[in-house]
Amino acid sequence: MDDEYTAGYREPCSECSAVDWGITDECHFYCRSCHNVIERTRDVEDTGFVQNGSSKISSIRKGSKKKPERGHIWMVCEGFQFILRNQANALLRLGVSPQFKDDVLCPLWRLFLQKSRLAYTSNPVKSSRFKVQDSDSDSAAESSNMSASATDGESNPPSAADSTAEDASDWSGSTDVSSYLSTRLKRKRSPLSMMKTLALIHLALVWSREALTLSDLLRLVNEGHVPYVNAYEQLPEEMKVIGKDALLFRVESIPSHRIVHKEAQALVLFLELPAFPPITCETLLHPELLSLRYLTDTNLPDELHLWVCRLMEQAGMADQTLHTFDPHSCPVLPRYDIQTAALIIVTMKFLFGLDDHTEWKLSNEVGNQSDSGDMFNLRRWYKLMQDVLMRAQQKRRQDIARKQWKAKKPIFPKNIGLKRTMMKKKRIAEQVQLCFEKLSSRPAGVQEVSPSSFRFCWGDEDGSDGPSLHHMKLDGVVTLKHNLLTPSNSTYWHPGLKKCDRRQCPSSHYSDMEPTLPRSFVWLLQLFSFLLDVKPPYLYEEVLKVERHVIGTETHCDVSSRKKKTRTRAKTKSSPRTLDRTLKTGGESGKTASKSS
Amino acid sequence: MDDLDRELGPHGPVEDYNDFSDDNVSKGGTNLKRPNVNPAMCKETPRETGFHRSTRICLEQIREAVLHHKWQEAAEYMACYPQLLEDTCLPPAQQNKELLWRISTNILHHHPNSTMEDYNNIYERMKHSGVRHHLMICLEHSFHLLLHGQNEDAKWQLSSAESWRHGKESAAQHQRAELISAYRSLLDYVIWCDKRFSNSDNYFDSDNQGMHDHFRQASLNLKEILKKPGVWDPFILSYVDMLELYDDHEEALKVLNDYAYNNNFPPNPNAHVYLYQYLKRHDASEKNLMRVLKILHVLVPSHELMLDYSTLLLNSENKTDIQKALGIILDMLDFTCWRTNMDVWKCLKTVIQRLEIQEDWENVVCEKMALREDWWPALHFTSFHASKDLEENPELWKVKASLAKVLCPKQALKYTADRVTNGKRT
């Protein structure tokens, strides 16, 4: 079986001079006669093998003096492996347990490579792609192909797919980046990309049940604590990243929550993973515990947590099966952070109404009482939070403006002229930057902040964002009824909750609905969207989902015309009876149908 | 210039993974083409990369800071902006460079700590960053040096710019190159002037060879430049100045005449002014002077030299000349800028006095005033004017009053010494 890989290698063994090679488990060559293991590995041999199956490698190579310039021959997946490792190490430094890397991420990575036939497989994906071709016609075809693609925007599979590994590597540092790109040009995503590393890490984190949510991960990436932008700079010196490698390794955006989650979802299905370790109420990712964190971060009283848990219970959302990925019972990877935020928002809606009237009325009542010092006043909280939020949003905007994206060691193209142009531009940019840094006495870029799970800091110390309201009581908004704590507010509004047909309404209706929604609600959405760094429509959809769990999906939205995609909000008010039933302890679990008036 | 993208293929970086508006949820993933970059200042496009978003917002912040004159803040953001130059997307490269150039210099103008060195630094960098703006930046740089008294440096900048060549770009920038050449000569003149005033005694000493060199360089170039149609006022003056010193009157006259009378050149009243001034300096005949001023009168009837013209006409004995003088003065007074000018009115008085000697002078006056009698009274002879003139310049009032009757005999003018009543007695 090994012969097909060793057939190309005809060097006699240094120990016994026999030519009888096999492959070890670690993919090294060994002499079958004397079991002498040599340095040559199967990966390298693959390149030689697939070129033309013969042993005439040296005649195709342009001479060994090329090698030291180019550094080692390396494959794209090796590069990504390094990057993934660096990212994992960064997370370990931040406090994630080592099992995450050793016991979860590594096997996951290997599984991924195997399933996508990039490595650890007897049938590597690129072996069918290479044929020997004349290098002149190759480059001519390639350049004409590119110009054709440039004009008509259509991507034909270029003759890059037909070039030898040798010629392909003339355009890049790695040997096989063209095969990744040719796959991509066939309208499928490249099997490996920087974004996939994030998706893999997220999966591994969820599997290890670490308290880092996806929005936390993306925030760490954005702040630079986890390498992502220009991560290729940390690759070893010998692995030269040039030319076409840029297309895979250079990133100019940090992907959004939605996109990475989508990718992670696709990965989970692609890898055919079994059921994840269960996310129980004791796990930090479970909404019950995660909501504590968000409540603390947004300076809401701790008592609110009780109500969040009650809501989850009544809606049947506390069950661990809902929060753990399972290919049969829960094939959708949960979005823990978004869901928890949505839960908090719905809880607040129940308690405070958030219809631009009730909450302020309740605030007024609290304010009018004489001993209101200890009672949570929404108005006071809002004023505090609005101030802090605006400052934080401004600071974020400033950080976005100041962020430096370009690498110290850019990926240069192979073409000398282009390389020089690029270097010149870089020099000029650096000089201008230096000039203004000196003038303003402030270095470019964003000041490094120490990583934290929390965005805001509440308390009386210096540097805090404001006084802490965590200890406040909710006495103003809840009353004792029949010896049970119930919210004083007895109405609840919601838009039509029937799920739209994804084909006819592919996007969120938030932009249409937003002008009709109460401002308090919209503001609260914006607050949590800022906290998680997502867009409000995204969070809004999750709020609707939670409401569907809690109330049911029988209320129709008044769709005047599907084609125009307009939607008016049916301001349905659930009857007080169902509401009471929903929020009291005990009583039925599962969904409660609303009797809309 | 940005062939990098061409080499990498029509696809830009692989990472198109932005959160476009959620309206594109299903469409988002399928389009793998190069991101549609349009950094037409501060306009968010749906497929913006994080990098472009950063630079766009940075530009917005810079703009805010500059508009509010917060120069320190502007400089801070400007330090973060140059990464834009490393953008590998094809279309906007030139625009980026221009943005960077203009905004940087603007900030340097206003920031309290900016030094000449900073300016030089920035100008040099931006000059070599691209070809389209190279010449303009050179020009601006040399102007800046000139404003700070570094004449030699400014000249050196322009000289090196003059010899700049860059393929087809230099053809497209032909006009700018000419401009640079002209200014280089002007700078030669400036330096020549400096040298002249520093060695005011003996111009033709051999020590002043440098000065003569400058003259030679400048004049050679200027001669060529001045042949081309255009408005070359400062250049002409400097050339003539130099020629005067070296007593090359022929050439000076030729140049000035050419400038004034060549039909290829755009009509330029200043040309005639310069010619007149030169002739006057060199004691030309009155006839010649009048000839020049005649054309100037057609071009700019309100020119201050019209006063000179009338004076010249008065000096002549010719009857028609006096009448012409009347016309010219009246033309001048049609414009409000001369309304309270004593000299003009006095001149008018003189003209009228000389005219009165002639017979039939009333008809002449009538004829000239025919076009004006509707609106001249309102322009010069209202009671308001009377009171104002009495207050400010009683002499003027006297002259005007004496002329009022003459010029507008048929009308009852209110240009009297009676105080204007505003309802209350003063």
Side-chain angles (χ1 to χ4, degrees):
Chain A
M1 187 206 60
D2 294 339
D3 287 345
E4 57 181 356
Y5 300 111
T6 58
Y9 191 63
R10 284 266 164 266
E11 296 295 314
C13 167
S14 52
E15 305 271 325
C16 67
S17 312
V19 184
D20 190 9
W21 298 101
I23 308 266
T24 66
D25 288 333
E26 280 95 73
C27 304
H28 285 280
F29 278 37
Y30 75 98
C31 175
R32 282 209 192 100
S33 333
C34 64
H35 296 279
N36 170 36
V37 181
I38 60 168
E39 283 302 311
R40 196 177 185 86
T41 58
R42 200 190 71 192
D43 277 353
V44 176
E45 178 61 313
D46 266 349
T47 322
F49 167 70
V50 298
Q51 274 183 4
N52 54 5
S54 78
S55 59
K56 292 207 179 113
I57 302 168
S58 50
S59 58
I60 296 176
R61 291 225 170 96
K62 288 185 181 117
S64 56
K65 64 175 180 237
K66 261 239 162 183
K67 246 200 175 165
E69 254 172 42
R70 254 185 344 163
H72 289 182
I73 297 174
W74 59 279
M75 314 273 280
V76 166
C77 54
E78 288 176 322
F80 274 107
Q81 188 164 299
F82 264 108
I83 289 175
L84 199 62
R85 190 198 66 162
N86 290 340
Q87 290 174 326
N89 287 341
L91 285 172
L92 293 189
R93 279 194 295 272
L94 289 171
V96 173
S97 64
Q99 285 88 22
F100 152 75
K101 178 182 167 198
D102 302 323
D103 300 335
V104 182
L105 189 60
C106 285
L108 206 61
W109 170 243
R110 282 191 217 119
L111 180 65
F112 170 75
L113 287 177
Q114 195 172 54
K115 279 256 152 80
S116 45
R117 290 160 56 214
L118 293 169
Y120 300 112
T121 168
S122 48
N123 178 21
V125 71
K126 58 184 184 5
S127 58
S128 55
R129 297 212 181 279
F130 293 115
K131 287 185 282 189
V132 179
Q133 275 250 335
D134 189 48
S135 57
D136 286 305
S137 67
D138 213 41
S139 45
E142 213 169 328
S143 53
S144 66
N145 188 58
M146 280 186 209
S147 52
S149 320
T151 48
D152 60 36
E154 209 49 48
S155 322
N156 324 313
S159 49
D162 296 328
S163 65
T164 61
E166 189 65 35
D167 282 330
S169 61
D170 277 350
W171 292 90
S172 64
S174 60
T175 48
D176 59 345
V177 71
S178 318
S179 69
Y180 286 76
L181 297 174
S182 61
T183 326
R184 179 173 173 253
L185 286 167
K186 279 187 181 151
R187 298 279 163 184
K188 282 184 274 178
R189 290 261 174 84
S190 163
L192 260 182
S193 63
M194 284 304 296
M195 208 239 323
K196 281 226 162 70
T197 60
L198 287 184
L200 271 169
I201 288 183
H202 174 57
L203 281 181
L205 284 170
V206 172
W207 186 286
S208 336
R209 297 187 284 187
E210 289 286 338
L212 273 180
T213 62
L214 182 54
S215 65
D216 292 328
L217 179 64
L218 289 172
R219 184 156 48 97
L220 289 172
V221 165
N222 201 13
E223 289 172 356
H225 296 118
V226 173
Y228 184 74
V229 179
N230 305 329
Y232 66 85
E233 280 181 314
Q234 292 169 4
L235 290 176
E237 273 298 308
E238 304 83 45
M239 292 169 85
K240 299 224 182 291
V241 187
I242 42 181
K244 281 217 174 111
D245 297 330
L247 293 168
L248 284 182
F249 288 101
R250 186 180 68 197
V251 281
E252 290 192 341
S253 294
I254 292 176
S256 69
H257 190 286
R258 186 176 58 84
I259 299 276
V260 179
H261 183 262
K262 203 162 106 172
E263 190 67 42
Q265 174 73 33
L267 256 181
V268 145
L269 297 174
F270 172 68
L271 296 174
E272 290 165 352
L273 291 177
F276 276 42
I279 307 280
T280 63
C281 298
E282 283 91 39
T283 325
L284 288 168
L285 273 180
H286 193 275
E288 209 167 297
L289 288 180
L290 196 56
S291 56
L292 260 180
R293 194 179 115 188
Y294 291 153
L295 287 172
T296 312
D297 212 358
T298 49
N299 207 13
L300 286 166
D302 299 333
E303 270 189 21
L304 211 55
H305 183 240
L306 173 68
W307 294 97
V308 174
C309 296
R310 270 197 197 170
L311 184 76
M312 274 203 297
E313 243 173 279
Q314 294 314 305
M317 291 177 74
D319 190 6
Q320 70 181 36
T321 51
L322 268 180
H323 300 288
T324 314
F325 175 81
D326 186 309
H328 311 292
S329 60
C330 177
V332 175
L333 192 68
R335 297 178 298 185
Y336 302 100
D337 36 15
I338 309 285
Q339 194 176 63
T340 311
L343 271 166
I344 296 179
I345 293 177
V346 173
T347 312
M348 286 193 70
K349 246 173 121 177
F350 268 114
L351 285 177
F352 295 99
L354 290 186
D355 53 1
D356 282 342
H357 297 292
T358 321
E359 64 271 20
W360 307 123
K361 204 169 64 146
L362 286 169
S363 282
N364 290 340
E365 281 166 15
V366 169
N368 286 339
Q369 292 185 24
S370 48
D371 57 343
S372 59
D374 217 17
M375 293 212 282
F376 178 69
N377 185 339
L378 189 77
R379 183 177 278 118
R380 184 181 167 208
W381 174 79
Y382 167 73
K383 281 192 184 155
L384 188 62
M385 281 312 290
Q386 168 68 338
D387 211 19
V388 169
L389 179 64
M390 272 181 38
R391 263 186 277 136
Q393 280 170 333
Q394 204 178 28
K395 170 103 195 348
R396 181 180 285 182
R397 191 180 156 84
Q398 288 173 357
D399 286 346
I400 293 175
R402 298 185 66 89
K403 190 175 170 80
Q404 300 293 295
W405 291 85
K406 292 296 177 180
K408 294 276 177 278
K409 299 192 287 175
I411 301 179
F412 291 118
K414 255 308 193 155
N415 182 328
I416 294 288
L418 291 178
K419 180 175 173 180
R420 275 205 211 114
T421 313
M422 214 166 144
M423 285 172 71
K424 184 169 119 172
K425 278 193 199 163
K426 186 158 189 68
R427 247 197 334 267
I428 291 174
E430 276 173 1
Q431 294 284 348
V432 177
Q433 181 177 321
L434 265 172
C435 175
F436 278 100
E437 277 180 344
K438 189 173 71 80
L439 186 66
S440 61
S441 341
R442 184 175 171 187
V446 184
Q447 205 176 18
E448 176 103 1
V449 288
S450 47
S452 164
S453 304
F454 294 94
R455 284 234 188 249
F456 302 115
C457 169
W458 305 105
D460 297 318
E461 304 95 34
D462 293 329
S464 68
D465 291 299
S468 155
L469 300 178
H470 300 127
H471 57 282
M472 298 265 163
K473 307 265 178 277
L474 286 176
D475 295 337
V477 286
V478 299
T479 52
L480 268 174
K481 237 195 216 171
H482 313 307
N483 278 338
L484 289 163
L485 277 175
T486 49
S488 310
N489 168 45
S490 56
T491 57
Y492 185 86
W493 65 267
H494 60 84
L497 291 173
K498 185 171 163 90
K499 229 173 171 178
C500 269
D501 185 357
R502 273 265 121 161
R503 276 169 309 194
Q504 290 182 324
C505 307
S507 58
S508 164
H509 288 286
Y510 181 70
S511 45
D512 301 326
M513 297 286 294
E514 196 262 348
T516 65
L517 295 171
R519 296 295 99 192
S520 327
F521 175 69
V522 169
W523 178 84
L524 196 63
L525 263 184
Q526 283 169 353
L527 174 65
F528 278 97
S529 307
F530 175 81
L531 202 67
L532 300 175
D533 200 8
V534 294
K535 292 222 158 67
Y538 194 48
L539 188 54
Y540 176 70
E541 291 298 321
E542 192 67 28
V543 168
L544 290 180
K545 249 193 234 167
V546 169
E547 286 181 332
R548 277 185 206 120
H549 270 288
V550 172
I551 296 167
T553 53
E554 285 176 17
T555 55
H556 285 253
C557 65
D558 183 7
V559 180
S560 46
S561 162
R562 279 268 162 93
K563 287 190 190 138
K564 286 188 207 157
K565 292 187 187 171
T566 54
R567 197 163 141 178
T568 56
R569 177 164 66 111
K571 205 165 184 173
T572 48
K573 291 213 150 98
S574 305
S575 69
R577 215 160 42 107
T578 31
L579 225 75
D580 285 350
R581 221 185 307 143
T582 311
L583 286 176
K584 284 182 190 148
T585 51
E588 55 258 48
S589 59
K591 296 183 189 175
T592 51
S594 74
K595 297 197 174 66
S596 42
S597 43
Chain B
M1 262 189 83
D2 287 282
D3 303 314
L4 177 66
D5 229 46
R6 223 180 293 145
E7 180 184 276
L8 293 180
H11 31 53
V14 169
E15 300 299 316
D16 283 350
Y17 306 132
N18 291 296
D19 204 4
F20 319 128
S21 65
D22 271 85
D23 297 321
N24 289 335
V25 162
S26 61
K27 311 182 229 159
T30 54
N31 190 348
L32 296 177
K33 292 185 207 157
R34 180 172 64 217
N36 180 20
V37 175
N38 179 15
M41 286 206 231
C42 312
K43 195 169 85 173
E44 176 171 358
T45 54
R47 298 182 61 85
E48 220 177 20
T49 63
F51 169 60
H52 288 130
R53 184 162 157 245
S54 280
T55 49
R56 174 178 61 86
I57 292 183
C58 195
L59 185 62
E60 284 174 17
Q61 297 289 101
I62 292 177
R63 190 179 65 169
E64 279 303 305
V66 166
L67 284 174
H68 288 102
H69 289 221
K70 296 186 199 153
W71 303 112
Q72 173 62 16
E73 197 179 306
E76 285 174 7
Y77 281 115
M78 204 59 201
C80 306
Y81 196 55
Q83 58 175 341
L84 182 67
L85 283 180
E86 299 184 61
D87 194 3
T88 49
C89 292
L90 278 170
Q94 293 301 338
Q95 203 178 4
N96 295 346
K97 291 169 192 163
E98 189 170 354
L99 263 177
L100 208 60
W101 157 38
R102 295 204 189 272
I103 300 181
S104 312
T105 45
N106 196 3
I107 293 177
L108 285 176
H109 285 330
H110 294 104
H111 197 278
N113 299 343
S114 59
T115 63
M116 202 60 202
E117 202 186 308
D118 292 327
Y119 274 105
N120 286 338
N121 211 355
I122 295 289
Y123 275 128
E124 286 300 325
R125 302 287 149 241
M126 297 319 296
K127 239 187 263 186
H128 298 291
S129 70
V131 280
R132 196 172 297 177
H133 304 294
H134 177 93
L135 288 179
M136 284 313 286
I137 298 180
C138 281
L139 200 57
E140 195 178 297
H141 191 188
S142 71
F143 281 164
H144 191 259
L145 290 166
L146 191 61
L147 284 171
H148 288 256
Q150 297 177 17
N151 299 340
E152 296 281 346
D153 289 335
K155 195 207 143 189
W156 185 86
Q157 284 294 330
L158 287 180
S159 307
S160 59
E162 242 183 316
S163 53
W164 178 81
R165 297 282 177 268
H166 199 279
K168 57 181 174 167
E169 273 297 335
S170 57
Q173 302 197 42
H174 182 60
Q175 274 192 330
R176 281 190 208 161
E178 281 187 353
L179 196 64
I180 288 198
S181 171
Y183 275 108
R184 200 261 305 151
S185 318
L186 190 65
L187 277 170
D188 273 323
Y189 166 70
V190 168
I191 297 174
W192 176 88
C193 264
D194 283 341
K195 294 214 162 115
R196 167 169 145 188
F197 287 116
S198 59
N199 318 318
S200 46
D201 297 330
N202 203 341
Y203 298 133
F204 298 101
D205 225 348
S206 54
D207 292 343
N208 288 330
Q209 198 50 38
M211 185 176 120
H212 301 316
D213 281 337
H214 283 289
F215 163 67
R216 235 192 316 278
Q217 285 171 14
S219 57
L220 267 172
N221 208 12
L222 282 172
K223 206 162 159 181
E224 288 309 309
I225 301 269
L226 292 170
K227 290 200 185 126
K228 304 187 177 139
V231 178
W232 301 110
D233 288 354
F235 302 97
I236 277 260
L237 283 175
S238 48
Y239 191 32
V240 168
D241 193 22
M242 287 195 287
L243 288 171
E244 273 191 274
L245 186 69
Y246 291 104
D247 290 326
D248 193 351
H249 300 293
E250 215 180 289
E251 178 68 23
L253 257 176
K254 178 163 158 300
V255 163
L256 284 168
N257 272 311
D258 221 20
Y259 193 47
Y261 295 120
N262 191 336
N263 284 333
N264 292 336
F265 281 62
N268 188 353
N270 290 336
H272 301 273
V273 174
Y274 299 149
L275 182 57
Y276 170 78
Q277 286 169 341
Y278 182 80
L279 290 172
K280 197 156 172 216
R281 276 201 298 272
H282 294 270
D283 305 316
S285 68
E286 287 198 353
K287 210 166 76 164
N288 283 339
L289 292 173
M290 281 201 283
R291 192 160 39 94
V292 177
L293 288 176
K294 189 165 163 193
I295 306 179
L296 186 60
H297 171 72
V298 172
L299 287 175
V300 188
S302 63
H303 202 280
E304 56 184 357
L305 285 177
M306 293 301 106
L307 207 50
D308 287 21
Y309 191 22
S310 331
T311 322
L312 284 171
L313 285 167
L314 280 174
N315 287 345
S316 90
E317 294 305 322
N318 208 324
K319 249 207 297 192
T320 44
D321 280 348
I322 313 287
Q323 289 171 5
K324 240 196 259 180
L326 178 66
I328 285 166
I329 290 284
L330 288 176
D331 281 339
M332 266 185 99
L333 285 170
D334 282 342
F335 294 89
T336 53
C337 47
W338 298 110
R339 194 197 299 183
T340 48
N341 189 299
M342 195 64 204
D343 294 324
V344 180
W345 283 104
K346 272 211 189 122
C347 188
L348 179 59
K349 186 153 184 190
T350 321
V351 169
I352 295 286
Q353 282 169 351
R354 291 284 294 279
L355 206 55
E356 278 169 348
I357 302 173
Q358 299 175 10
E359 58 219 42
D360 212 24
W361 64 271
E362 282 147 345
N363 280 342
V364 172
V365 173
C366 219
E367 209 184 296
K368 294 275 185 212
M369 286 298 293
L371 292 165
R372 299 182 167 95
E373 57 188 3
D374 294 335
W375 48 277
W376 251 58
L379 188 61
H380 292 293
F381 297 124
T382 63
S383 49
F384 172 70
H385 290 125
S387 60
K388 207 151 85 85
D389 289 337
L390 268 173
E391 235 177 271
E392 290 169 7
N393 197 348
E395 275 275 329
L396 180 66
W397 180 86
K398 257 205 255 169
V399 174
K400 271 175 86 172
S402 62
L403 286 170
K405 265 285 162 211
V406 177
L407 291 170
C408 311
K410 295 188 198 118
Q411 301 177 25
L413 298 170
K414 295 212 186 80
Y415 198 80
T416 57
D418 297 337
R419 286 243 174 228
V420 178
T421 53
N422 291 337
K424 12 182 182 172
R425 286 249 150 216
T426 44

